[in-house]
Amino acid sequence: MTVVDPADASATGARTASGGAPTRQPSRLRRLARLLPSPAGTPFTFGYGVILLSTALYTDFGDPATVDRLLRESSTDAAHLVEQPLFVLVASALWIAGGIYSFYGVAFLLVVTALERRVGGARAAGVFLLGHVLATLATELPVAGAVAVGRLPAASMHRLDYGISFGLMACIGALSGLLRPRWKWPLLGVAGAMCAQDLIELVDPLASWGHPIALLTGLACLPLVRDAAGRRSDAAGCQSGAAGQRSAGAGQGAGRGAALSADRAVPLPLFPPWLPRQYVPARAPQEGAAGGMAFRGAGEEPPDGGRAEPVGRAPAEPEAPRHVMGVDDGLHHAHGGEAGPVGVAPRVPGAVPRPRTPDGAGEQRRRDADALQAR
């Protein structure tokens, strides 16, 4: 038996709830949900699907006589196309051949939802309506012409023709150009097999061509739907990029704010180097109330003749007077004048003797010294 730490179990549950590693199942559910229509994501398919579901339920569970009358009035046969073409073209697309258990209902939800998510509701509706109308006219108008020339009997003008199969084939053709090859070719293969079956069985020599014509109509719409799909992908990329920039900018702003707060938290030095220094005169420190040393405050001017010292630095001791031998020992009295600066020879009154020759230099110096002492 394996013992599990409760702390580890709670941490694993928190990671799962916050979107950590075990997020594969929700992502799969979201992908499956995108295959079906929704009011916000695919409004055309969702609304149209609700109408088709309602009519299919009424076809299966409604009054048979009423259902038969409604279907005949909605049929796009040659007679109705001549009398009221717009009404029957719209009404015939509100019914599913075979009712609620028909294959066309499920195929409609999957194919038209995928197309609308890529090109938008308006273009998906346009492709569906274009395939439905063109395939219907292409198969019914020749019937009317054949009846007019006597090739077909007059009873051929009144037939039961309704359903969404033509529009669905057109959407399959348009969607195939937007899918990857691994999905594109199987989809076209299934649609091609259905068209081939109609042409092989040839139940109706004219109507059997309706599905191939609708599929070719959807393939002809590829340039329009590809352009729309490219614009929608670019818009989604721009929105995600803007969101990433806003999040990155918010992160940078938070980083700058944290740096500024950290800078504010650091105390400044006592005497910053960019501020001018203030000086106080050098004087003896005074005893403070707490036994400390008190100096002149900032802003006081040094007294006249005083010596300034930096604030916070102990005053220097007064310098002792210097005594130089030969200056304060009465030499200035012997010379008869004041003593000169330190390091400079004192001035001697009278003429300064010129240097002698090396022969009599010593005797002359003794004479000068004797004369000075005699004075």
Side-chain angles (χ1 to χ4, degrees):
M1 182 178 65
T2 304
V3 180
V4 180
D5 190 1
D8 296 340
S10 61
T12 304
R15 287 196 301 269
T16 305
S18 61
T23 58
R24 187 171 298 176
Q25 184 175 2
S27 63
R28 289 178 179 177
L29 293 178
R30 282 195 296 267
R31 289 181 180 178
L32 292 176
R34 285 182 60 85
L35 297 177
L36 299 177
S38 62
T42 55
F44 166 71
T45 310
F46 184 83
Y48 197 6
V50 170
I51 295 174
L52 292 176
L53 178 62
S54 303
T55 57
L57 289 174
Y58 187 76
T59 301
D60 292 341
F61 303 103
D63 182 31
T66 306
V67 171
D68 184 70
R69 180 175 57 84
L70 291 175
L71 292 178
R72 291 188 178 278
E73 290 179 356
S74 304
S75 176
T76 54
D77 52 21
H80 286 111
L81 287 175
V82 173
E83 295 174 0
Q84 42 187 0
L86 295 180
F87 173 77
V88 295
L89 284 173
V90 174
S92 64
L94 301 179
W95 304 90
I96 299 177
I100 193 173
Y101 301 104
S102 174
F103 165 76
Y104 291 110
V106 178
F108 170 84
L109 293 178
L110 297 177
V111 172
V112 183
T113 297
L115 181 62
E116 185 177 0
R117 289 192 184 278
R118 286 166 173 80
V119 302
R123 293 181 183 266
V127 171
F128 182 91
L129 184 60
L130 185 62
H132 174 72
V133 171
L134 289 182
T136 300
L137 295 178
T139 55
E140 294 297 334
L141 290 182
V143 173
V147 171
V149 298
R151 300 290 300 270
L152 291 175
S156 300
M157 295 285 292
H158 303 277
R159 299 185 308 163
L160 195 59
D161 187 10
Y162 65 93
I164 60 172
S165 59
F166 291 166
L168 179 60
M169 278 293 177
C171 291
I172 291 177
L175 179 63
S176 64
L178 305 177
L179 298 178
R180 296 179 180 178
R182 63 177 180 177
W183 299 108
K184 171 183 177 180
W185 298 117
L187 182 62
L188 287 178
V190 173
M194 295 176 61
C195 294
Q197 182 181 2
D198 291 343
L199 294 177
I200 292 172
E201 293 179 356
L202 205 61
V203 177
D204 191 335
L206 295 177
S208 297
W209 288 93
H211 290 148
I213 292 174
L215 183 61
L216 294 176
T217 302
L219 293 173
C221 296
L222 281 179
L224 297 178
V225 296
R226 280 176 179 171
D227 183 45
R231 285 199 298 267
R232 287 174 68 90
S233 62
D234 292 343
C238 292
Q239 290 178 1
S240 62
Q245 289 178 359
R246 286 194 297 268
S247 61
Q252 292 178 359
R256 285 195 294 268
L260 290 176
S261 61
D263 291 342
R264 293 193 187 100
V266 177
L268 293 175
L270 185 60
F271 295 103
W274 58 83
L275 294 179
R277 285 198 172 190
Q278 299 173 348
Y279 293 89
V280 296
R283 61 182 180 181
Q286 301 176 0
E287 286 289 340
M293 308 301 290
F295 299 96
R296 178 178 63 86
E300 297 183 11
E301 298 294 334
D304 296 339
R307 184 179 178 184
E309 293 291 340
V311 177
R313 185 180 296 177
E317 295 294 335
E319 188 175 342
R322 297 180 180 180
H323 298 278
V324 181
M325 184 178 298
V327 176
D328 293 334
D329 294 340
L331 183 59
H332 58 284
H333 298 293
H335 292 168
E338 296 181 356
V342 178
V344 180
R347 293 183 179 181
V348 180
V352 179
R354 295 183 178 179
R356 301 291 184 177
T357 57
D359 297 337
E363 184 179 357
Q364 184 63 34
R365 283 197 296 271
R366 286 194 298 271
R367 291 177 184 176
D368 293 340
D370 293 341
L372 287 174
Q373 290 179 1
R375 291 181 183 179

